[in-house]
Amino acid sequence: MKIISKFQDFYEFDCYRYGEPSMTPSWHRVEGQKEIIVDSNIAEKINSLFICKNHSIRFDYKGRYHYSRRNGFLEPVNIESQIIGIYPYTYYIPKVYFNKTIENDDPNTINISKTKKVQIYLSAQDSLDILSIKDSFKDIMSKYGVSYKDFCYPEDIVNPIKRNWWNKNTNKEVCNKDKMITEFPELFDIVGEPIISFNNGIEGIFNRWKKYVLKVNINENLSKTDLLSYYPEIITERDVYTELENYLISRHQEPISEPDNKTKITSHGFDLKTSFRNM
């Protein structure tokens, strides 16, 4: 497979695994965005890929700020969810972060405010643990120099093993890593690209025929995403280069034509003039 691109990605180092790579097929890899239309069945499966919803908690269920008598208003712990796909699998990426108050070192604003807030992202492993191991946030937050009592947490963190509506038929942990990888080849066929990503599921009906719209990024540089931080085993467990090559070959295969009756007759050794007579 010949890749025409402005960048190199991690899987290209495997192209010589079985000798000199073929120059066909040729893949003109271009980063971009697409809007695809899917039916309700595909939309439901896409939404099920997001094991945790995106959270940006500031209010409780009654619309009030989270408040602690001990510490006053509590800062929220947030979750950013992303799906990254390499044909034929999609991978769930949960990024957990919080705001931390630090000393203001900006000379332009130091006279206005002595402190500032910065976003602190948990490591990939801590993000996985905090969403899958009950009460782990109490120890994990201390690693980042803060007390867990100063923050409010989404339900996914407080009760990570609790079943959500899309997990009604399972008792497994919500973020069990095996459940975060989904074989979904039909999605890649619909998008028409072997590498995809998107940050949000599908909401709302697109039209009266119940078609839905998904905005998806295509062919981005995976080495610059969080994919390998969360799933480093991809490098050793998958031959991504060959899988991409097979996908491109299958997309460009000519359809097998069905021979007509005359071709079938002659291929079996019969003569059209002498082997048959009119009845």
Side-chain angles (χ1 to χ4, degrees), residues 115-167:
T115 61
K116 65 178 180 180
K117 291 183 178 180
V118 294
Q119 289 184 344
I120 306 296
Y121 282 84
L122 275 60
S123 70
Q125 190 59 55
D126 285 339
S127 291
L128 295 173
D129 289 345
I130 205 171
L131 295 175
S132 60
I133 303 173
K134 188 173 177 61
D135 292 336
S136 62
F137 64 89
K138 296 179 180 180
D139 294 325
I140 288 175
M141 295 299 287
S142 64
K143 293 168 54 177
Y144 296 85
V146 295
S147 169
Y148 74 89
K149 295 180 180 180
D150 296 331
F151 293 83
C152 57
Y153 301 86
E155 181 70 13
D156 307 90
I157 290 176
V158 178
N159 297 301
I161 303 176
K162 183 178 179 180
R163 291 177 295 175
N164 287 317
W165 65 269
W166 51 76
N167 290 330

Side-chain angles (χ1 to χ4, degrees), residues 78-264:
N78 304 300
I79 303 172
E80 291 178 356
S81 293
Q82 183 183 32
I83 301 297
I84 296 178
I86 311 174
Y87 180 86
Y89 297 99
T90 60
Y91 296 83
Y92 174 63
I93 312 289
K95 297 174 65 176
V96 180
Y97 70 96
F98 63 95
N99 293 318
K100 184 176 181 180
T101 301
I102 63 173
E103 184 178 348
N104 187 8
D105 57 0
D106 185 350
N108 296 320
T109 61
I110 194 169
N111 293 328
I112 301 174
S113 176
K114 301 298 182 182
T115 61
K116 65 178 180 180
K117 291 183 178 180
V118 294
Q119 289 184 344
I120 306 296
Y121 282 84
L122 275 60
S123 70
Q125 190 59 55
D126 285 339
S127 291
L128 295 173
D129 289 345
I130 205 171
L131 295 175
S132 60
I133 303 173
K134 188 173 177 61
D135 292 336
S136 62
F137 64 89
K138 296 179 180 180
D139 294 325
I140 288 175
M141 295 299 287
S142 64
K143 293 168 54 177
Y144 296 85
V146 295
S147 169
Y148 74 89
K149 295 180 180 180
D150 296 331
F151 293 83
C152 57
Y153 301 86
E155 181 70 13
D156 307 90
I157 290 176
V158 178
N159 297 301
I161 303 176
K162 183 178 179 180
R163 291 177 295 175
N164 287 317
W165 65 269
W166 51 76
N167 290 330
K168 292 178 181 177
N169 297 322
T170 178
N171 289 318
K172 292 183 178 180
E173 294 175 350
V174 171
C175 270
N176 180 288
K177 198 168 184 179
D178 291 338
K179 291 178 63 61
M180 299 168 71
I181 306 172
T182 304
E183 190 170 3
F184 199 172
E186 58 268 39
L187 178 58
F188 297 88
D189 292 335
I190 294 170
V191 176
E193 300 290 346
I195 294 176
I196 62 176
S197 70
F198 46 94
N199 298 326
N200 298 296
I202 296 176
E203 296 181 358
I205 296 176
F206 174 66
N207 58 29
R208 60 192 176 93
W209 292 284
K210 294 187 178 180
K211 299 293 184 180
Y212 298 78
V213 173
L214 175 68
K215 294 181 180 180
V216 59
N217 302 313
I218 57 172
N219 300 329
E220 64 185 311
N221 188 344
L222 296 176
S223 296
K224 294 185 176 181
T225 70
D226 294 298
L227 179 67
L228 295 181
S229 297
Y230 281 80
Y231 302 94
E233 63 273 12
I234 289 177
I235 295 176
T236 56
E237 293 182 0
R238 289 188 61 182
D239 186 354
V240 173
Y241 180 88
T242 301
E243 291 171 338
L244 294 176
E245 185 177 53
N246 291 336
Y247 172 83
L248 294 170
I249 291 172
S250 67
R251 293 281 296 180
H252 294 90
Q253 278 182 340
E254 293 293 331
I256 300 174
S257 59
E258 181 69 19
D260 57 27
N261 287 332
K262 290 184 179 181
T263 303
K264 291 179 180 179

Side-chain angles (χ1 to χ4, degrees), residues 27-58:
W27 180 24
H28 192 192
R29 180 181 53 191
V30 179
E31 291 184 276
Q33 290 185 327
K34 277 188 175 183
E35 287 190 357
I36 62 169
I37 300 175
V38 299
D39 61 28
S40 58
N41 291 330
I42 295 296
E44 183 178 353
K45 188 171 182 179
I46 288 171
N47 285 338
S48 72
L49 301 175
F50 290 88
I51 297 176
C52 294
K53 295 180 180 179
N54 288 344
H55 290 279
S56 182
I57 295 180
R58 294 197 177 277

